Amino acid sequence: MITNNTILVVDDEIGIRELLSEILRDEGYRVALAENAEQARVWRNKTRPDLVLLDIWMPDTDGITLLKDWASNGMLTMPVIMMSGHGTIDTAVEATRIGAFGYLEKPIPLQKLLNTVSKALRGGQNKPHAVFSLASLGKGPLIADLRKRMEQVVSLKAPLLLMGEPGVGVEICARFMHRPNTPWIEPETLTSLADSPLDLLESARDGVLFLKEIGELNKLAQKGLLLLLSKLEKYNVRLICATSQSLAELTAQGTYHPKLFEILSSLTITVPALRGHREDIPDLANQILLRFVESGEVSSVLQFSTAALNCLRNYDWPGNLTQLTGVVHSLALTCTGEEITADAVQQAMVFPESSSISVLPEIPLDLSLREARDLFEKSYFERLIGQENGNMTRVADRAGLERTHLYRKIKMLGIKLRGN
């Protein structure tokens, strides 16, 4: 099989580098070699390999540290397979949580090497935009504290509730809980909670079940979740739930089951809003831009000006990381030069006059907080959909929501779309 895939082999032992190089070249791969972490950094800074085979134990910088550096700098946009002659399960788990694709123990059986490389390359092609990892969310004190809390609860069996505004990256935190080579189940909708909750547990047996936006569950789905919670130990499933709503408020209003709230609130972690750690925004914006560059969507010389990064830093980002990703994508695609300027950022942040708060209806004060919020959101989304002529991708970007969450919200608010 002839291929143009380039594999970077990083190992301090010349014999292993040469052996791996010979095997891979015989299979038609292009191979680059680095004898230490510094050489690997230099090579990675110049170009993006399609795959990295990375030794854990090296004299200058160990492979786990290099993996963390790439993850935190937005450079982990290719699959990385860790290698070690004396590794442990803990090391493999840590590497996978940082973002490694897999782990091979030396001496590496030939067929296992080729199968793992082939699988990793296929995965890299299917996912041109690498997802964020917990290590890449930022270096400021808020994210450092978040990482510390996540590490503290990672080995627990209790259900975990992640709370945060839409778009903050709860999925990234949930992924941190996943052990390698175990099931990861993330249903697109939560209707199966009402219909067949135990089927979800069977699918996730010995792995992780991640349920998003559980604040939107109806009464029947809440009962299904309660049943599911009672069977977690039997199926050996780690349950992670996420919500952008206040379950305490919903419980006080009588729309959420008190027992369900009691169980879920026993272990909670709040994922901070982007505006709470502004110091990380420039790095995050550069990471996002790098991914679009490396996917081939935009020019390889494109970059942000310092003033543009300052503009992004000072914006409040109500849609958080999801909104920032959408804005950076739009700026990258519409930039006509080699630099994204502050003016371009400011234009992207300015909404038309017609979207001013003054055009929204006056909200009666005799409504409950939830009714008032629903009235505001209905008017907000109707105007946004009108301004974007029904283009739901742009509506989702401007609102800072994932499309699936946007459609659920629109359905819940009773908004009629064109053609429906």
Side-chain angles (χ1 to χ4, degrees):
M1 176 190 68
I2 301 300
T3 174
N4 289 325
N5 286 316
T6 299
I7 300 174
L8 173 62
V9 177
V10 188
D11 198 300
D12 63 308
E13 295 184 47
I14 186 170
I16 292 177
R17 289 199 307 274
E18 290 180 347
L19 176 62
L20 290 175
S21 176
E22 183 180 339
I23 292 170
L24 295 169
R25 286 190 171 120
D26 284 347
E27 292 295 314
Y29 297 107
R30 292 189 300 179
V31 181
L33 302 175
E35 66 179 67
N36 53 44
E38 187 53 39
Q39 284 187 7
R41 284 194 185 99
V42 171
W43 206 96
R44 176 64 186 91
N45 288 339
K46 290 178 180 176
T47 187
R48 173 189 178 274
D50 297 292
L51 172 69
V52 178
L53 290 170
L54 177 58
D55 187 31
I56 289 180
W57 305 108
M58 295 184 293
D60 64 333
T61 302
D62 66 85
I64 295 290
T65 299
L66 179 58
L67 188 71
K68 286 180 179 177
D69 288 348
W70 279 342
S72 63
N73 294 325
M75 305 291 278
L76 193 57
T77 57
M78 64 284 168
V80 174
I81 299 171
M82 308 301 293
M83 307 181 296
S84 174
H86 27 70
T88 65
I89 293 297
D90 289 343
T91 305
V93 169
E94 182 185 6
T96 306
R97 287 195 177 119
I98 296 167
F101 175 86
Y103 177 87
L104 292 172
E105 191 165 357
K106 300 176 185 175
I108 306 169
L110 175 62
Q111 203 52 51
K112 186 172 185 180
L113 169 68
L114 297 178
N115 288 343
T116 306
V117 164
S118 177
K119 186 177 178 182
L121 286 168
R122 286 199 305 272
Q125 289 166 356
N126 293 335
K127 297 179 181 178
H129 296 168
V131 294
F132 282 100
S133 67
L134 191 58
S136 68
L137 280 184
K139 302 173 184 174
L142 265 184
I143 298 301
D145 182 65
L146 172 65
R147 282 199 296 270
K148 192 181 297 183
R149 290 173 186 272
M150 295 297 295
E151 287 164 359
Q152 220 170 316
V153 303
V154 71
S155 59
L156 301 181
K157 293 288 187 182
L160 171 65
L161 177 63
L162 297 170
M163 300 184 297
E165 296 177 7
V168 293
V170 289
E171 298 88 350
I172 299 164
C173 295
R175 283 279 180 186
F176 183 74
M177 298 285 138
H178 184 220
R179 293 180 64 90
N181 303 315
T182 62
W184 168 270
I185 302 299
E186 182 182 342
E188 190 61 39
T189 66
L190 299 183
T191 53
S192 51
L193 277 176
D195 306 331
S196 50
L198 297 186
D199 286 353
L200 286 174
L201 283 179
E202 184 59 50
S203 300
R205 184 185 288 271
D206 299 322
V208 170
L209 175 60
F210 177 44
L211 304 178
K212 296 179 286 189
E213 288 301 338
I214 58 161
E216 297 178 359
L217 298 179
N218 60 30
K219 294 286 188 181
L220 197 57
Q222 289 177 38
K223 287 184 178 179
L225 181 52
L226 271 171
L227 173 63
L228 188 151
L229 282 162
S230 70
K231 304 289 185 181
L232 288 176
E233 189 174 350
K234 178 182 176 182
Y235 288 85
N236 190 30
V237 170
R238 179 74 188 271
L239 177 66
I240 303 171
C241 298
T243 181
S244 58
Q245 301 186 48
S246 168
L247 298 189
E249 183 183 313
L250 295 176
T251 305
Q253 292 170 359
T255 57
Y256 216 75
H257 199 295
K259 182 65 175 176
L260 185 55
F261 170 64
E262 180 187 337
I263 296 172
L264 293 175
S265 61
S266 63
L267 181 60
T268 65
I269 290 179
T270 299
V271 184
L274 198 52
R275 62 184 172 277
H277 55 112
R278 296 180 187 275
E279 67 276 16
D280 293 320
I281 291 175
D283 279 347
L284 288 169
N286 280 325
Q287 283 185 52
I288 296 165
L289 180 60
L290 176 65
R291 287 165 193 185
F292 292 129
V293 167
E294 293 191 338
S295 71
E297 281 193 74
V298 297
S299 167
S300 60
V301 296
L302 189 62
Q303 60 182 0
F304 284 104
S305 71
T306 302
L309 290 172
N310 283 334
C311 285
L312 293 172
R313 186 183 190 277
N314 292 327
Y315 185 64
D316 276 345
W317 300 107
N320 296 291
L321 196 58
T322 302
Q323 186 187 13
L324 176 63
T325 302
V327 168
V328 171
H329 192 204
S330 178
L331 287 167
L333 291 177
T334 57
C335 183
T336 56
E338 295 182 355
E339 187 174 72
I340 299 173
T341 65
D343 285 344
V345 172
Q346 288 167 350
Q347 288 175 21
M349 295 294 102
V350 174
F351 294 105
E353 288 295 325
S354 59
S355 66
S356 167
I357 194 69
S358 62
V359 302
L360 294 174
E362 185 174 338
I363 299 176
L365 296 179
D366 60 346
L367 297 178
S368 70
L369 176 60
R370 187 172 189 181
E371 290 170 330
R373 185 177 61 203
D374 287 348
L375 181 61
F376 171 84
E377 288 185 349
K378 188 171 189 291
S379 180
Y380 168 79
F381 284 114
E382 285 174 342
R383 296 200 64 83
L384 212 53
I385 292 166
Q387 286 174 16
E388 296 297 348
N389 296 313
N391 186 316
M392 301 309 287
T393 298
R394 289 202 296 267
V395 171
D397 282 347
R398 284 182 59 180
L401 296 175
E402 294 178 356
R403 281 183 60 127
T404 52
H405 182 63
L406 173 64
Y407 280 115
R408 286 201 301 268
K409 180 71 72 175
I410 285 171
K411 183 178 179 182
M412 184 183 73
L413 295 171
I415 297 172
K416 300 293 183 184
L417 300 177
R418 295 175 189 175
N420 289 355

